[in-house]
Amino acid sequence: APAYENIKIDVVGAKKNVGLIQLHRPKALNALCKPLFVELGKAVNDFDADNNIAAIIITGNEKAFAAGADIKEMQNNTYSHNTKEGFLREWEDISNCGKPIIAAVNGFALGGGCELAMLCDIIYAGEKAKFGQPEINIGTIPGAGGTQRLPRYVGKSKAMEIVLTGNFIDAHEAEKMGLVSRVFPVDKLLEETIKLAERIGTHSPLIVKLAKQSVNQAYETSLRAGLQFEKSVFYGTFATVSVSI
Ligand code: CAA
């Protein structure tokens, strides 16, 4: 396995079919520096390409999922540097993954940390999780999807409140507003997330991939185009061997 410095990877689950990625920069609350994201992108791509892996989990530690983009790394960036380098471009590797990615969030998921969780397909949270988009406190705005994905999760008014105040919301509020699908005791979060990944892993990998693509269309296109996409995928599943009652 590749040697990583900012993440740890493992293969878990009774059938060893769940790829687990733990963000591991504990001293910086898992701030998402570029080297971390390069490693994360590689780990996600490798699990995506591995036929033994059914689903991927991204997690952090009890204190932090991730406290955002690395402020120390980016504080001297210029507009021209960001534009030339395509700052945060590595993040697209996560959204290009064909397999389900589940975020298991304990502790802080702030700024880019919240945005990383929202790039995943399902968010499970531990009771002490805290979500927020505090970029406004440091004179910028969310830059990895927060202004676009958060309203799709929670609606305009709540998203505006979160982005314009920088206030944090706790796990139960996040569940109520639809940002996370379930909340668990801190020490049960990872095992429950693995159970979810294993459950998904009992299904046809081809159908899982198509179902994920179809749900994602709801975020990316008009209702009419999304419905057309769904129908054509639905019809297409009848050409696979896995349609059965
Ligand atoms: N980037 C770099 N380092 C960070 C960091 C970040 N986003 N968040 C925390 N750290 C570092 C701190 O600098 C500190 O390092 P030192 O010990 O070397 O000083 C260490 O992690 C521990 O942090 P604190 O001492 O601050 O811990 P705390 O428990 O007192 O506070 C916190 C926790 C409320 C999360 C606080 O750390 C905080 O507010 N962090 C910044 C959150 C933030 O603003 N995130 C948005 C970043 S911008 C962004 O993400 C842009 C985008 O959309 C892509």
Side-chain angles (χ1 to χ4, degrees):
Y4 290 124
E5 284 175 19
N6 301 286
I7 62 172
K8 289 180 174 178
I9 61 168
D10 201 356
V11 174
V12 297
K15 291 189 186 155
K16 294 281 178 215
N17 64 350
V18 178
L20 177 65
I21 302 172
Q22 187 190 11
L23 309 177
H24 191 63
R25 275 188 88 202
K27 286 190 188 134
L29 304 185
N30 292 333
L32 303 163
C33 60
K34 178 162 178 161
L36 185 152
F37 237 93
V38 169
E39 293 182 5
L40 180 59
K42 170 148 180 43
V44 166
N45 281 335
D46 287 351
F47 281 141
D48 198 23
D50 182 342
N51 287 334
N52 298 314
I53 296 296
I56 299 164
I57 296 172
I58 300 179
T59 194
N61 56 49
E62 283 194 14
K63 169 122 198 211
F65 177 74
D70 190 318
I71 297 173
K72 291 168 193 162
E73 180 186 70
M74 73 183 186
Q75 64 188 350
N76 295 319
N77 283 12
T78 61
Y79 175 75
S80 125
H81 168 90
N82 290 344
T83 308
K84 276 197 277 196
E85 299 293 316
F87 180 45
L88 304 183
R89 146 187 88 180
E90 305 77 27
W91 294 48
E92 285 158 28
D93 286 342
I94 312 296
S95 35
N96 288 336
C97 177
K99 286 176 186 166
I101 308 182
I102 310 160
V105 177
N106 266 324
F108 295 114
L110 303 177
C114 187
E115 292 168 303
L116 172 60
M118 291 192 288
L119 274 173
C120 297
D121 300 301
I122 300 172
I123 307 177
Y124 271 11
E127 263 161 1
K128 302 233 168 87
K130 292 234 180 314
F131 296 84
Q133 298 289 161
E135 289 88 347
I136 199 157
N137 294 324
I138 57 168
T140 184
I141 70 165
T147 69
Q148 301 305 299
R149 289 200 179 88
L150 192 57
R152 284 166 159 87
Y153 277 91
V154 305
K156 176 176 169 180
S157 180
K158 287 196 157 70
M160 280 289 189
E161 208 180 315
I162 292 165
V163 171
L164 299 184
T165 63
N167 291 345
F168 300 166
I169 56 168
D170 67 31
H172 293 291
E173 286 176 272
E175 183 186 24
K176 237 189 315 175
M177 52 177 85
L179 178 59
V180 315
S181 54
R182 282 171 208 267
V183 177
F184 297 100
V186 171
D187 59 345
K188 291 275 178 287
L189 173 67
L190 191 57
E191 73 184 68
E192 292 293 340
T193 310
I194 293 170
K195 273 192 215 159
L196 170 67
E198 290 182 297
R199 174 73 182 122
I200 293 168
T202 62
H203 298 300
S204 150
L206 173 62
I207 302 298
V208 166
K209 183 170 187 167
L210 295 173
K212 167 171 166 163
Q213 275 176 5
S214 291
V215 173
N216 274 336
Q217 287 300 305
Y219 285 88
E220 276 155 26
T221 188
S222 68
L223 180 61
R224 178 183 291 265
L227 288 170
Q228 263 167 15
F229 184 91
E230 180 196 71
K231 265 300 181 295
S232 108
V233 170
F234 173 63
Y235 291 163
T237 61
F238 287 74
T240 73
V241 291
S242 49
V243 175
S244 61
I245 48 169

